[in-house]
Amino acid sequence: MGYKIGNIQIDNILSLAPMAGVTNIAYRKMCKKYGAGVVTTEMISDKGIFYNDKKTKMLGMIDDFEHPVGIQIFGGDLETLIFAAKWVDEETNADFIDINMGCPVLKVLKSNAGSKYLLDVDRIYKTVDSIVKNVKKPVTVKIRIGYDHNSINAIEVCNAIIKANASAIAIHGRTKSDLYSGEVNYQIIKEIKEQHPNFPIIANGNIDSPQKAKQVLDYTKCDGLMIGRASYGNPFIFKQINHYLKYNELLDDLKIADRINILLDYAKDLIFYKGELMAMKELRGQAGWFIKNCPNSSKIRAQLSSINTFDDLKNILNLTIFEN
Ligand SMILES: Cc1cc2nc3c(=O)[nH]c(=O)nc-3n(C[C@H](O)[C@H](O)[C@H](O)COP(=O)(O)O)c2cc1C
């Protein structure tokens, strides 16, 4: 097992999916610590980089612990997208440059970016080809299987990306119109892998348990698996999946107290990077994920949604442990 992104050897085949507003630097480190092999930043706007926006550029900050790590960029204008790719190439510690060609969010589509690319295979070829020719680091692309169910074209899209000399493709097995729900089409991912046995293909979409991971891996024969929402409040899922793939044996889920400790460590790290208030604002939405399935979770989640300080967080969580 294992594959290469350009000349970077990937031994742990599990990737953390890029998720805007979620996969910040501390989140990525947490997932890495609990078994993710490859991590990628959330999508970063090419225009933000082009106009030297500090907040945008901060999203590309990387810790040494994260390698191998990619920075994902998005944008609909070739000139500024190349500018952003060169910035990742020359001014960041990222190991590879990932291009977002799958995002279904309206604002992104309006700028001709994300899954809008899927409507024009020639444009995909030209874009990937130009970026590859302008940078030294490997270029990867994240796509969906098509724009909608009448235009599923992942096979042609992958052919174009591979012809343009990209180094890997992650495929979310849904169309843009599906957004984040509905069935995931693993069959087309399997077909693409069959057609490109020597090119790294990473399967993504609803991989939410060790058994599901094994099933998708066995079925698609992909080189890697990418996991997004199943990591919410449970970065340990990476360890569970790795263990199951290796030993065919299930590790127990973490107990609530362990999950809370992971959250507190994550919170401390996030404070280190963003300051207390910013970190707590970000955690207002995320902290509740770590207490999923514990009694009174909706009441606790409501309390967590207004935290301002680390002590607020700790006090609410201490109470949670005490009550459970
Ligand atoms: C909150 C959220 C933010 C996301 N942001 C991005 C993003 O910035 N770039 C990207 O390529 N995909 C993004 N995605 C899509 C995920 O990377 C992934 O393809 C999708 O969630 C399916 O995988 P999953 O079922 O394992 O979550 C996002 C998904 C979610 C839920």
Side-chain angles (χ1 to χ4, degrees), residues 291-306:
I291 50 142
K292 209 175 127 202
N293 299 331
C294 91
N296 295 329
S297 61
S298 53
K299 195 180 104 198
I300 304 159
R301 237 194 318 273
Q303 291 175 316
L304 289 169
S305 68
S306 56

Side-chain angles (χ1 to χ4, degrees), residues 20-261:
V22 179
T23 53
N24 60 60
I25 185 168
Y27 193 98
R28 301 193 301 270
K29 283 168 73 184
M30 171 179 70
C31 288
K32 195 96 200 184
K33 182 173 169 193
Y34 288 95
V38 182
V39 295
T40 309
T41 66
E42 64 185 271
M43 57 179 177
I44 302 183
S45 153
D46 65 338
K47 294 277 190 256
I49 295 167
F50 185 74
Y51 291 114
N52 202 19
D53 179 66
K54 283 210 173 68
K55 266 195 190 160
T56 307
K57 285 182 150 182
M58 282 291 281
L59 295 173
M61 184 169 54
I62 282 171
D63 187 278
D64 282 346
F65 181 63
E66 291 188 70
H67 296 291
V69 51
I71 288 182
Q72 187 186 69
I73 52 173
F74 76 97
D77 294 328
L78 187 55
E79 202 180 319
T80 44
L81 197 61
I82 291 175
F83 183 94
K86 281 174 135 174
W87 174 76
V88 177
D89 195 44
E90 292 162 14
E91 294 182 44
T92 75
N93 295 328
D95 299 298
F96 61 94
I97 302 158
D98 189 47
I99 307 171
N100 182 322
M101 292 189 169
C103 181
V105 171
L106 203 61
K107 211 175 117 192
V108 172
L109 298 177
K110 275 191 179 155
S111 66
N112 263 329
S115 52
K116 207 61 186 283
Y117 278 98
L118 302 175
L119 293 172
D120 188 344
V121 176
D122 276 350
R123 184 172 170 238
I124 292 180
Y125 173 75
K126 283 184 192 132
T127 303
V128 178
D129 178 62
S130 306
I131 291 178
V132 168
K133 285 180 175 151
N134 271 283
V135 297
K136 292 195 188 68
K137 290 178 182 173
V139 174
T140 62
V141 185
K142 182 155 175 285
I143 63 164
R144 288 182 177 236
I145 59 170
Y147 199 76
D148 59 27
H149 282 263
N150 296 319
S151 59
I152 292 179
N153 60 352
I155 293 180
E156 294 85 345
V157 165
C158 287
N159 286 340
I161 294 170
I162 293 167
K163 195 171 139 210
N165 287 317
S167 295
I169 304 173
I171 309 171
H172 179 186
R174 290 192 174 92
T175 67
K176 170 256 161 198
S177 310
D178 295 328
L179 300 175
Y180 297 98
S181 57
E183 257 177 55
V184 176
N185 185 338
Y186 300 113
Q187 194 194 326
I188 196 164
I189 302 179
K190 172 191 165 81
E191 277 174 44
I192 291 164
K193 184 60 217 173
E194 271 167 7
Q195 290 181 18
H196 302 282
N198 300 318
F199 186 88
I201 303 284
I202 293 132
N204 169 241
N206 279 11
I207 299 171
D208 57 3
S209 69
Q211 296 95 324
K212 181 72 178 280
K214 183 162 168 43
Q215 203 185 327
V216 173
L217 193 63
D218 288 348
Y219 178 70
T220 63
K221 305 272 191 306
C222 273
D223 304 271
L225 298 174
M226 179 177 273
I227 290 133
R229 289 163 296 175
S231 71
Y232 283 6
N234 186 27
F236 191 63
I237 184 121
F238 291 103
K239 199 148 267 176
Q240 289 176 308
I241 295 176
N242 274 326
H243 190 87
Y244 190 70
L245 293 179
K246 204 165 173 191
Y247 303 109
N248 207 26
E249 177 188 278
L250 288 169
L251 292 177
D252 286 343
D253 286 338
L254 289 185
K255 302 220 166 22
I256 179 75
D258 297 324
R259 277 188 277 151
I260 286 176
N261 280 327

